[in-house]
């Protein structure tokens, strides 16, 4: 993203002089550490695996989210993968990138730098929303780093954006973020969280009282960060810019280049990513399987973590079986489509081979 595309903003103070904020929440059994790489510092959340030798997994959150978004799913998969979740630059506990670049390409570069530096690849890669676009690009340009790809409501280009997603997209317009900040200055953290839950969940009532309190505390922490709205606006602009790219750099073209076995998860009540995009994604990602959750919203891994965990376990089992049998992974080496399977909670899992 060129500097001419960005509005004039005051420089972000270095992390050493940022105001004190409440500590980032660490769920029981998790660890949090900071990793310094070229031009970025990443906060990495991990959960020790049930035993040594399990394959590595990496989780990438969406716009306005953090590694906390994956805690429930990580706890359900600790017996099959060695899990880590990143806070993207400018989100969670990670400070802004040195160059102020929040494009999809820059975020993907951060993920690649971490995987190269850590030596954990190839990994089972997960992405939600913005993280879905990022991990799609990673899987396309660095297939050597990805064993499988799991996408929960990936933010891939839509010609007809849902009306409920327009306010989020407007953050990309220069000047909107400061205006929104002024308009909502009197809003409490609790009011903001209720709005986010209403937008992202199919049924906000599924959030426990403890989960709601934790979300309010995290919102209060983020609002104290001087770069919070800048990171949101620039990342939103990064999504919009990525939507306009064509040719080999277009996200749909890159989706077609992904070689890793792919699991797609879409919610029927998603207000940010159109449910109609599920079938297009299933066609674009070769050898993919599609799981549809009619009652879920935008963050199925938080709303229905057990169902998402089950779907991934099936992907992992089938992938392992294919590897044992010497499956080449080429499209014409795939078996015939599996029949739809009932996964409970009113959801369906349709295995679709590209």
């Amino acid at each position: 993203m060129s500097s001419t595309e960005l509005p004039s903003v005051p420089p972000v103070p270095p992390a050493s002089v940022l105001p004190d904020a409440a500590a980032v929440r660490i769920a029981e059994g998790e660890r949090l550490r900071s990793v310094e790489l070229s031009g970025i510092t990443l906060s990495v959340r991990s959960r020790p695996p049930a035993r040594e030798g399990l394959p590595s997994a990496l989780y990438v959150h969406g716009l306005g989210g953090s590694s906390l978004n994956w805690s429930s799913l990580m706890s359900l998969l600790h017996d099959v993968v060695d899990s880590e979740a990143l806070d993207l630059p400018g989100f969670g506990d990670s400070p802004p990138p040195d160059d102020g670049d929040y494009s999809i390409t820059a975020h993907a570069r951060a993920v690649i730098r971490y995987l190269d530096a850590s030596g954990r690849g190839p990994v089972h890669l997960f992405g939600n929303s913005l993280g879905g676009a990022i991990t799609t690009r990673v899987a396309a340009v660095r297939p050597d780093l990805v064993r499988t790809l799991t996408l929960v409501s990936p933010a891939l280009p839509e010609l007809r954006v849902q009306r409920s997603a327009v306010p989020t997209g407007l953050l990309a317009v220069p000047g909107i973020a400061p205006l929104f900040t002024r308009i909502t200055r009197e809003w409490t953290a609790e009011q903001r969280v209720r709005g986010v839950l209403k937008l992202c969940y199919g049924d906000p009532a599924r959030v426990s009282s403890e989960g709601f309190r934790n979300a309010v505390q995290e919102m209060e922490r983020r609002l104290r960060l001087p770069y919070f709205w800048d990171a949101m606006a620039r990342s939103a602009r990064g999504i919009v810019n990525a939507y306009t790219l064509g040719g080999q750099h277009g996200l749909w073209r890159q989706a077609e280049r992904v070689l890793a076995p792919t699991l797609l998860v879409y919610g029927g009540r998603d207000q940010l990513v159109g449910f109609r995009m599920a079938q297009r994604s299933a066609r674009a990602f070769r050898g993919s399987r599609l799981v549809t959750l009619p009652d879920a919203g935008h963050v199925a891994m938080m709303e229905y973590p057990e169902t998402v965990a089950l779907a991934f376990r099936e992907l992992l089992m089938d992938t392992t079986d294919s590897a044992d049998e010497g499956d080449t992974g080429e499209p014409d080496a795939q078996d015939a489509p599996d029949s739809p399977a009932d996964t409970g909670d009113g959801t369906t899992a349709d295995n679709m081979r590209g």
Side-chain angles (χ1 to χ4, degrees):
M1 186 187 304
S2 66
S3 58
T4 57
E5 298 174 31
L6 300 173
S8 177
V9 295
V12 174
S16 59
V17 297
L18 292 180
D20 291 336
V24 173
R25 186 172 66 85
I26 304 176
E28 184 178 355
E30 292 182 346
R31 300 170 183 171
L32 200 64
R33 73 182 193 280
S34 184
V35 178
E36 293 189 8
L37 301 169
S38 176
I40 55 174
T41 298
L42 297 177
S43 179
V44 181
R45 182 179 303 270
S46 62
R47 175 175 288 276
R51 61 184 184 278
E52 294 184 1
L54 291 179
S56 300
L58 186 69
Y59 306 76
V60 184
H61 63 80
L63 181 67
S66 76
S67 57
L68 274 168
N69 293 17
W70 298 102
S71 287
S72 294
L73 187 61
M74 288 168 65
S75 68
L76 293 171
L77 295 177
H78 82 289
D79 62 319
V80 291
V81 290
D82 182 354
S83 293
E84 290 188 342
L86 295 179
D87 284 333
L88 291 169
F91 294 92
D93 205 34
S94 295
D98 290 351
D99 60 4
D101 190 347
Y102 289 93
S103 65
I104 298 291
T105 297
H107 283 314
R109 189 182 304 123
V111 173
I112 291 171
R113 284 177 181 170
Y114 175 71
L115 288 175
D116 280 339
S118 67
R120 287 172 56 84
V123 299
H124 295 286
L125 191 59
F126 293 71
N128 168 234
S129 191
L130 165 65
I134 293 167
T135 52
T136 294
R137 181 153 293 176
V138 171
V141 302
R142 288 294 303 274
D144 58 303
L145 294 177
V146 184
R147 289 179 185 267
T148 66
L149 181 63
T150 297
L151 304 177
V152 181
S153 296
L156 300 176
E158 298 185 50
L159 292 179
R160 294 184 293 114
V161 178
Q162 296 185 99
R163 184 176 301 176
S164 52
V166 170
T168 301
L170 285 175
L171 282 175
V173 179
I176 290 296
L179 175 62
F180 183 75
T181 303
R182 290 195 297 271
I183 293 174
T184 63
R185 184 175 291 123
E186 302 303 320
W187 290 12
T188 66
E190 181 175 326
Q191 289 174 313
R192 295 175 189 272
V193 168
R194 291 191 186 281
V196 171
L197 295 181
K198 183 177 180 180
L199 182 65
C200 293
Y201 276 69
D203 180 9
R206 293 183 66 87
V207 180
S208 66
S209 56
E210 179 183 4
F212 182 77
R213 288 194 301 271
N214 290 335
V216 171
Q217 291 175 359
E218 174 63 10
M219 179 63 73
E220 291 173 340
R221 187 193 70 83
R222 294 182 187 185
L223 291 173
R224 296 191 187 104
L225 299 173
Y227 54 81
F228 172 73
W229 286 111
D230 184 54
M232 287 285 290
R234 291 180 185 242
S235 290
R237 197 167 306 132
I239 296 174
V240 172
N241 288 344
Y243 279 20
T244 64
L245 289 177
Q248 63 179 352
H249 299 296
L251 285 170
W252 284 115
R253 181 68 62 84
Q254 291 188 323
E256 295 170 353
R257 290 166 50 192
V258 172
L259 299 177
T262 302
L263 169 64
L264 303 166
V265 182
Y266 280 81
R269 295 183 178 179
D270 194 331
Q271 299 183 63
L272 294 171
V273 170
F275 186 64
R276 63 182 177 277
M277 304 306 294
Q279 294 296 333
R280 179 174 182 181
S281 292
R283 292 191 298 269
F285 289 91
R286 67 178 75 187
S288 63
R289 57 183 65 197
L290 171 64
V291 175
T292 58
L293 291 79
D295 295 327
H298 190 59
V299 287
M301 74 288 187
M302 301 173 70
E303 199 170 4
Y304 293 94
E306 294 86 358
T307 305
V308 176
L310 175 60
F312 173 73
R313 286 174 180 273
E314 292 175 349
L315 172 70
L316 182 62
M317 183 180 301
D318 290 349
T319 302
T320 302
D321 290 345
S322 295
D324 291 343
E325 295 169 6
D327 192 339
T328 65
E330 293 300 319
D332 57 357
Q334 298 289 348
D335 296 331
D338 297 333
S339 59
D342 184 5
T343 61
D345 296 325
T347 64
T348 59
D350 302 324
N351 294 338
M352 306 186 67
R353 309 295 186 183

